[in-house]
Amino acid sequence: MPEFDVSVPTFDVSVPEDRLRILIIGAHMDDPDLRAGGTAAKYSALGHDVLFVSLTNGEAGHHEIGGIELTRRRRAEAQKSADVIGVEYVTYDIHEGELTPSIENRNTVIRLIREYGPDLVVTHRPNDYHPDHRYTADLVQDAAYMVTVPNICTGTPHLTYNPIIAHLQDDFRKPTPFDPDVVVPIDDVIDEKMAMLHCHESQMYEWLPYNIGKADEVPDDEEGRREWLRNRYLPEFAAVADRYRDLLVEQYGEERGREVQYAEAFEHCEYGGQLTEENKPVLFPFGL
């Protein structure tokens, strides 16, 4: 039998010498903050450009309000969160809970990537409990390579490179467990990350606690809420550091790697540009 080359076409990747452009695409308005808020804060502090995106409009994530009222509230919360670390936040008007990997939505993501011109795109993995998360991952993966094809979405100039894509960390193990290529310590920005999450009041203190049967545990006063939020999420961020401790030591050395308390992790997606040992420290400029 003849052998066929089924490898992904090789394109140049964008690795600037100074200012990076980082595009973090979530399904919902708190997704970028939860899984990459600390890393985004570090990029922003170094002077790099960061854009948070929510592909859906936030109209369904609550048990008492919905529709345009909830959308407006969540967009205001998202903007307030973005202001904490000085990044941009864009939300699309696709119905929450109804996102599909359609050609129309794929073209929306293709245009988004082309217009922003990112060096790195960060998004969900395609195995996830929430269909909006899964289909966001599918849409970004389907946009990879197609962003370089001139006759697709002809009204938006095509890219001459295939942006590198990285997946956000999750705990799902089937069909394949998360296998990080980069782990980022966030101890130095954990207060900023918690301040960002605090801005999403409708989610952190109302909908999500209600959804898991813990609404009665949420304090009424702001100070109590902030402490409750730290107790709720800091163990999760610590678990990421502990789970990938060996990679932290490999990346940052024995002493620093062992000291990291909180972390975020990212897995390279093969469909985008290639993440290499040469460009990894440039794209993740945090002392790798």
Side-chain angles (χ1 to χ4, degrees):
M1 293 289 290
E3 293 186 2
F4 296 95
D5 183 1
V6 294
S7 60
V8 177
T10 301
F11 289 86
D12 290 335
V13 297
S14 175
V15 184
E17 296 181 358
D18 46 16
R19 194 164 181 162
L20 295 168
R21 293 179 68 78
I22 309 299
L23 177 59
I24 303 177
I25 303 176
H28 309 117
M29 294 180 207
D30 54 352
D31 289 335
D33 317 52
L34 270 169
R35 296 299 182 187
T39 303
K42 293 170 80 81
Y43 279 124
S44 183
L46 291 172
H48 301 297
D49 296 322
V50 179
L51 176 62
F52 281 3
V53 172
S54 170
L55 288 185
T56 64
N57 61 9
E59 66 183 2
H62 209 276
H63 52 294
E64 295 178 339
I65 60 175
I68 189 63
E69 179 184 0
L70 183 57
T71 292
R72 287 172 175 168
R73 183 180 177 192
R74 292 186 66 184
R75 281 177 172 162
E77 292 172 345
Q79 187 57 58
K80 188 176 179 181
S81 172
D83 290 344
V84 170
I85 60 171
V87 304
E88 297 180 75
Y89 217 125
V90 170
T91 62
Y92 283 81
D93 199 26
I94 300 170
H95 295 301
E96 185 176 20
E98 300 180 14
L99 182 67
T100 61
S102 65
I103 298 299
E104 179 183 4
N105 289 337
R106 180 202 299 175
N107 289 344
T108 294
V109 174
I110 289 172
R111 294 186 188 100
L112 164 65
I113 294 173
R114 286 179 175 179
E115 289 169 357
Y116 190 69
D119 304 298
L120 175 67
V121 180
V122 182
T123 193
H124 305 278
R125 286 205 308 157
N127 13 326
D128 195 285
Y129 77 101
H130 200 300
D132 286 349
H133 294 175
R134 293 196 298 270
Y135 296 145
T136 295
D138 287 343
L139 288 165
V140 173
Q141 290 185 156
D142 289 351
Y145 173 70
M146 303 305 282
V147 297
T148 71
V149 181
N151 283 328
I152 301 294
C153 299
T154 56
T156 308
H158 71 285
L159 298 182
T160 57
Y161 67 97
N162 195 14
I164 293 170
I165 300 171
H167 289 305
L168 299 162
Q169 183 267 337
D170 62 58
D171 296 328
F172 299 101
R173 304 194 61 79
K174 294 181 179 180
T176 55
F178 180 82
D179 184 18
D181 294 278
V182 176
V183 185
V184 178
I186 60 169
D187 298 27
D188 55 331
V189 291
I190 194 62
D191 289 341
E192 288 90 334
K193 177 164 182 171
M194 296 310 303
M196 294 168 71
L197 297 182
H198 177 70
C199 294
H200 293 276
E201 293 184 359
S202 68
Q203 304 303 293
M204 298 298 124
Y205 303 123
E206 298 171 18
W207 165 238
L208 294 176
Y210 172 84
N211 191 235
I212 60 174
K214 295 186 177 182
D216 293 342
E217 298 179 7
V218 180
D220 293 327
D221 64 292
E222 181 170 337
E223 182 177 351
R225 284 187 163 195
R226 286 182 183 272
E227 183 63 24
W228 182 87
L229 194 67
R230 292 179 71 88
N231 292 335
R232 169 74 175 83
Y233 283 103
L234 288 184
E236 290 190 15
F237 308 147
V240 175
D242 290 338
R243 185 175 303 143
Y244 306 120
R245 183 68 62 189
D246 290 346
L247 185 53
L248 281 168
V249 170
E250 179 184 331
Q251 291 179 162
Y252 303 102
E254 182 73 25
E255 183 176 358
R256 186 184 176 199
R258 294 292 176 195
E259 291 176 348
V260 173
Q261 188 172 1
Y262 307 113
E264 293 170 347
F266 305 92
E267 178 184 65
H268 175 238
C269 170
E270 295 177 307
Y271 300 164
Q274 295 306 297
L275 184 68
T276 66
E277 293 305 315
E278 289 72 31
N279 63 32
K280 191 185 298 183
V282 180
L283 291 167
F284 294 91
F286 314 122
L288 292 178

